């Protein structure tokens, strides 16, 4: 079995811990801090691997005005589209036209051509050609649709709405992932992500991925569904990258923390060598700031202390090892950084709500 004891990388942060020209307060920067302009750790990819992002369902919608689509809470249809998934994320790429989207009981928000809409928390939502419209379909009708789509009983291109002249065309995707015991990405996302893409902009990576997906529709070649689902995962990752790039400077959360030189480096170090016996003092020294500054920044941006984040990430990695392998609990605990099985079991139960053995048994049923 593979081990998590890898050599420690240095950082992915910029060469200076504070922006150039920033005023430094006494005690903020540790004298003699090591340089940090070294090859980086791709923490986002690290998390995406750990949470097992998986394409579940992907199709195309042509909606003629007037139209309305109401989608129930994702937990009600996850068993149809991806039975072993803990969590479902839905997203929509608007190819043509416009409309309105509302999540839960929130007021509707207008969307237009080029926009990307992501509903990351399994909330019920609706997409309509105008606010207030209703499809007249029940939740059972919606569940029957997802059951039939997942079973391959419906065409890839779905037609909705009436016979009006306005057409809204969008790609609809559903992805499965693991939400437990610790998914820092989900906690950093709002109920609705709307990423604006102005029409007429130069062709980019997302456009190419969409083109590749659409090219699979008429071909009907063997393996087409598998290719579309993998492309759907790639499109979602590209959407996440754009969201990260668009975050305002005052934004908090795990993704925002990755942009902070000190916090981002601390997270990268933890991910690069989670089994190392990290202390807050050692992380502060490696990031080039004082212990108090690192703790305050980490808490403000990520929402928990650095050592608590380390514990949660170790438990997430352990959960993967327990699910995918046959190693003893004591070996798994040692691989993620615990010297004793008792200490590992206490941390695991604190984060996951059950013992490592109970977790492994539940995931194998």
């Amino acid at each position: 079995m593979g081990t998590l004891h890898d050599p420690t990388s240095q950082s992915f942060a910029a060469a200076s811990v504070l922006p150039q020209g920033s005023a430094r307060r006494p005690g903020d920067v540790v004298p003699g801090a090591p340089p940090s302009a070294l090859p980086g750790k791709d923490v986002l990819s690290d998390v995406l691997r750990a949470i097992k992002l998986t394409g579940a369902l992907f199709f195309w919608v042509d909606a003629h005005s007037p139209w309305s689509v109401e989608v129930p809470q994702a937990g009600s249809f996850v068993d149809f589209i991806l039975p072993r998934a803990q969590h479902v994320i839905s997203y929509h790429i608007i190819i043509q036209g416009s409309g309105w989207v509302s999540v839960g009981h929130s007021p509707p928000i207008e969307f237009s051509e080029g926009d990307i809409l992501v509903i990351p928390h399994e909330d019920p939502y609706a997409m309509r050609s105008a606010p207030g419209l209703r499809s007249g379909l029940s939740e059972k009708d919606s569940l029957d649709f997802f059951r039939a789509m997942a079973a391959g009983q419906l065409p890839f291109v779905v037609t909705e709405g009436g016979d009006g002249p306005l057409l809204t065309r969008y790609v609809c995707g559903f992805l499965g992932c693991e939400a437990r015991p610790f998914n820092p990405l989900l906690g950093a996302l709002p109920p609705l992500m709307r990423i604006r893409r102005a029409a007429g902009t130069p062709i980019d990576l997302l456009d190419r991925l969409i083109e590749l997906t659409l090219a699979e529709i008429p071909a009907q070649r063997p393996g087409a569904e598998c290719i579309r689902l993998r492309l759907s995962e790639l499109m979602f990752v590209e959407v996440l990258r754009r969201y990260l790039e668009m975050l305002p400077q005052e934004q908090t959360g795990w993704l925002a923390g990755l942009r902070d030189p000190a916090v981002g480096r601390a997270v990268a170090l933890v991910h690069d060598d989670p089994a190392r016996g990290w202390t807050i003092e050692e992380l502060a020294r490696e990031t080039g700031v004082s212990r108090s500054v690192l703790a305050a920044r980490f808490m403000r941006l990520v929402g928990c202390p650095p050592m608590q984040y380390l514990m949660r990430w170790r438990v997430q990695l352990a959960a993967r090892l327990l699910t995918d392998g046959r190693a003893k609990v004591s070996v798994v605990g040692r691989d993620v950084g615990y010297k004793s099985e008792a200490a590992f079991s206490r941390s695991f139960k604190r984060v996951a709500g059950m013992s490592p053995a109970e977790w492994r048994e539940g995931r194998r049923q």
Side-chain angles (χ1 to χ4, degrees), residues 16-18 22-34 284 287-291 293 297:
S16 174
V17 173
L18 294 178
S22 297
R24 292 177 177 173
R25 296 174 296 177
D28 272 5
V29 180
V30 176
T287 57
V289 298
S290 69
R291 169 179 170 171
V293 168
R297 287 190 193 176

Side-chain angles (χ1 to χ4, degrees), residues 27-83:
D28 272 5
V29 180
V30 176
S36 57
L38 296 172
K41 173 75 175 177
D42 188 352
V43 178
L44 180 57
S45 291
D46 207 21
V47 169
L48 290 172
R49 282 191 296 269
I51 65 174
K52 292 186 176 180
L53 188 67
T54 307
L57 197 62
F58 183 77
F59 53 93
W60 180 277
V61 177
D62 279 350
H64 294 265
S65 60
W67 62 275
S68 177
V69 175
E70 295 97 28
V71 179
Q73 199 270 343
S76 63
F77 57 84
V78 62
D79 288 343
F80 307 148
I81 65 175
L82 202 62

Side-chain angles (χ1 to χ4, degrees), residues 185-201:
L185 176 61
L186 282 180
L189 301 179
L192 171 64
M193 298 162 55
R194 180 184 60 172
I195 298 176
R196 310 305 299 262
R197 298 170 66 232
T201 54

Side-chain angles (χ1 to χ4, degrees), residues 43-44 46-48 50-51 121 178-189 253-255 258 267 271 302 304 309 312-313 316:
V43 178
L44 180 57
D46 207 21
V47 169
L48 290 172
I51 65 174
H121 299 301
E178 292 187 348
R180 303 183 305 274
F182 178 52
N183 185 328
L185 176 61
L186 282 180
L189 301 179
W254 181 78
L255 284 170
L258 299 185
V267 171
H271 279 250
V302 181
C304 67
Y309 182 88
R312 291 175 178 176
W313 183 242
Q316 174 63 32

Side-chain angles (χ1 to χ4, degrees), residues 56-62 91 95 145 148-150 152-160 169-174 209-220 224-229 231-232 235:
L57 197 62
F58 183 77
F59 53 93
W60 180 277
V61 177
D62 279 350
Y91 71 95
I95 307 299
F145 167 83
M149 178 61 75
Q153 299 170 356
L154 297 177
F156 179 75
V157 179
V158 177
T159 302
E160 296 282 355
R169 175 171 288 167
Y170 58 91
V171 171
C172 183
F174 294 86
L209 290 172
I210 294 172
E211 288 175 1
L212 287 172
T213 302
L214 298 181
E216 289 295 322
I217 300 174
Q220 294 297 315
E225 179 182 0
C226 183
I227 288 178
R228 287 199 300 263
L229 292 179
L231 288 170
S232 130
M235 282 190 280

Side-chain angles (χ1 to χ4, degrees), residues 162-342:
D163 56 1
L166 300 179
L167 171 65
T168 299
R169 175 171 288 167
Y170 58 91
V171 171
C172 183
F174 294 86
L175 299 171
C177 72
E178 292 187 348
R180 303 183 305 274
F182 178 52
N183 185 328
L185 176 61
L186 282 180
L189 301 179
L192 171 64
M193 298 162 55
R194 180 184 60 172
I195 298 176
R196 310 305 299 262
R197 298 170 66 232
T201 54
I203 293 177
D204 55 19
L205 175 60
L206 187 57
D207 294 311
R208 293 189 180 96
L209 290 172
I210 294 172
E211 288 175 1
L212 287 172
T213 302
L214 298 181
E216 289 295 322
I217 300 174
Q220 294 297 315
R221 297 169 61 194
E225 179 182 0
C226 183
I227 288 178
R228 287 199 300 263
L229 292 179
R230 298 291 85 77
L231 288 170
S232 130
E233 295 171 27
L234 293 175
M235 282 190 280
F236 178 71
V237 174
E238 176 62 13
V239 167
L240 284 178
R241 296 201 301 188
R242 293 184 184 215
Y243 178 74
L244 177 58
E245 293 168 357
M246 294 172 59
L247 285 177
Q249 289 301 314
E250 66 275 10
Q251 184 74 36
T252 60
W254 181 78
L255 284 170
L258 299 185
R259 301 183 309 183
D260 181 88
V263 173
R265 182 174 182 180
V267 171
L269 289 168
V270 163
H271 279 250
D272 191 64
D273 194 0
R276 180 172 169 179
W278 292 106
T279 64
I280 182 65
E281 290 83 5
E282 190 174 11
L283 279 176
R285 182 170 62 252
E286 291 280 354
T287 57
V289 298
S290 69
R291 169 179 170 171
S292 60
V293 168
L294 178 62
R297 287 190 193 176
F298 211 100
M299 189 69 190
R300 180 177 65 85
L301 290 171
V302 181
C304 67
M307 293 297 99
Q308 189 176 108
Y309 182 88
L310 171 62
M311 178 184 67
R312 291 175 178 176
W313 183 242
R314 283 175 170 176
V315 168
Q316 174 63 32
L317 295 176
R320 280 287 308 274
L321 294 175
L322 290 166
T323 301
D324 298 341
R326 295 182 177 276
K328 294 181 178 179
V329 169
S330 59
V331 174
V332 171
R334 186 171 64 248
D335 277 348
V336 298
Y338 288 91
K339 294 182 179 179
S340 73
E341 183 176 344

